[in-house]
Amino acid sequence: IVEKDRFQTLGDLRKQWTESGVETSRATVYRRVQEMGYRCRIPQVKPLLNQKQRQKRLTWATEKQHWTVAQWSKREMPKCLKSSVKYPQSVMVWGAMSAAVNAASHQEILEHFMLPSAEKLYGDEDFIFQHDLAPAHSAKTTGKWFTDHGITVLNWPANSPDLNPIENLWDIVKRKLRDARPNTLDELKAAIDASWASITPQQCHRLIASMPRRIEAVISAKGFPTKY
């Protein structure tokens, strides 16, 4: 049964055993599975990549293979909060990637939040902006906006959250929010802002420094998903 479907849970196994006339507890199922030499694991959830996407990831990683940590640190990573009107009592969060719902509102966020952040962080220095391939990000009007503002955008392969260290920061925010338990929209905004503010520069530096390792991992995996 286990070898036929590796993704069955202990509950699934117990149900099948019960249907076969074997009454047992979940703990007993666990012990028997262990005795048979199997180990229970939670599978990692990774984006489904087709061959074309894997090749693009491999090509992208090969091109960026010799980028230094200093080069990766020039990626723009501002933050802001933007209320959502689509669902009540919820809030859209924008960090390095916009949670805007269309190209026009995405460009509005870039104009009013990203540009001031970039000015504060880099002054007159050049920087490279990174975002994923969400429709609002890859729209022609958004591309024109970046061109008109003289901002270089980092080319990005599809379905590649393992290459974006901002995902790790979102995970930190989510973990902190589990303990906050906000009851109102204002409390939710405050909790998100506080959890983001608690992220230290050292954490950011460590994540940026992981980029060369992520690149090597993609190359070693020949474009398939990595552990990151």
Side-chain angles (χ1 to χ4, degrees), residues 1 39 42 51 75 85 112 117 119 140 167 180 217 219 225:
I1 293 174
R39 297 292 180 267
I42 298 176
Q51 183 176 357
R75 272 183 21 185
V85 296
H112 295 291
S117 296
E119 177 68 24
K140 290 183 179 180
E167 297 294 342
I219 295 175

Side-chain angles (χ1 to χ4, degrees), residues 18-84:
T18 300
E19 292 173 348
S20 301
V22 181
E23 291 292 339
T24 184
S25 67
R26 183 186 178 91
T28 300
V29 174
Y30 177 78
R31 288 197 299 272
R32 293 295 177 266
V33 170
Q34 293 279 314
E35 290 170 0
M36 295 168 64
Y38 295 104
R39 297 292 180 267
C40 297
R41 297 288 186 270
I42 298 176
Q44 289 187 319
V45 179
K46 297 291 185 178
L48 179 63
L49 296 167
N50 58 38
Q51 183 176 357
K52 184 177 180 180
Q53 290 171 334
R54 294 197 302 270
Q55 184 57 52
K56 286 186 175 181
R57 279 166 53 89
L58 181 58
T59 300
W60 184 91
T62 303
E63 292 173 351
K64 306 297 186 295
Q65 187 174 13
H66 301 295
W67 275 33
T68 64
V69 173
Q71 286 175 290
W72 284 113
S73 68
K74 279 298 188 75
R75 272 183 21 185
E76 169 68 350
M77 299 178 68
K79 74 177 182 71
C80 73
L81 299 179
K82 185 177 187 295
S83 296
S84 168

Side-chain angles (χ1 to χ4, degrees), residues 74-162:
K74 279 298 188 75
R75 272 183 21 185
E76 169 68 350
M77 299 178 68
K79 74 177 182 71
C80 73
L81 299 179
K82 185 177 187 295
S83 296
S84 168
V85 296
K86 187 174 182 180
Y87 302 104
Q89 296 303 301
S90 66
V91 61
M92 289 279 191
V93 182
W94 184 80
M97 299 183 300
S98 174
V101 295
N102 56 48
S105 54
H106 176 54
Q107 292 159 35
E108 182 180 345
I109 291 176
L110 293 172
E111 186 79 36
H112 295 291
F113 295 100
M114 189 277 283
L115 286 182
S117 296
E119 177 68 24
K120 182 178 180 181
L121 287 170
Y122 305 116
D124 295 330
E125 292 184 36
D126 292 331
F127 66 93
I128 299 175
F129 189 85
Q130 182 272 327
H131 56 187
D132 60 20
L133 298 182
H137 302 171
S138 57
K140 290 183 179 180
T141 55
T142 300
K144 184 177 184 301
W145 186 93
F146 281 107
T147 299
D148 292 344
H149 288 77
I151 298 174
T152 301
V153 178
L154 181 67
N155 65 310
W156 196 254
N159 288 348
S160 299
D162 54 344

Side-chain angles (χ1 to χ4, degrees), residues 179-227:
D179 299 327
R181 299 184 180 279
N183 295 312
T184 67
L185 185 60
D186 288 339
E187 289 180 1
L188 176 59
K189 289 182 179 180
I192 293 172
D193 212 15
S195 61
W196 184 275
S198 69
I199 297 172
T200 66
Q202 289 74 23
Q203 286 175 298
C204 294
H205 291 320
R206 284 196 295 270
L207 289 174
I208 292 172
S210 73
M211 285 306 301
R213 297 193 298 274
R214 294 171 191 251
I215 296 296
E216 289 298 330
V218 170
I219 295 175
S220 297
K222 300 187 184 302
F224 279 93
T226 68
K227 67 177 183 178

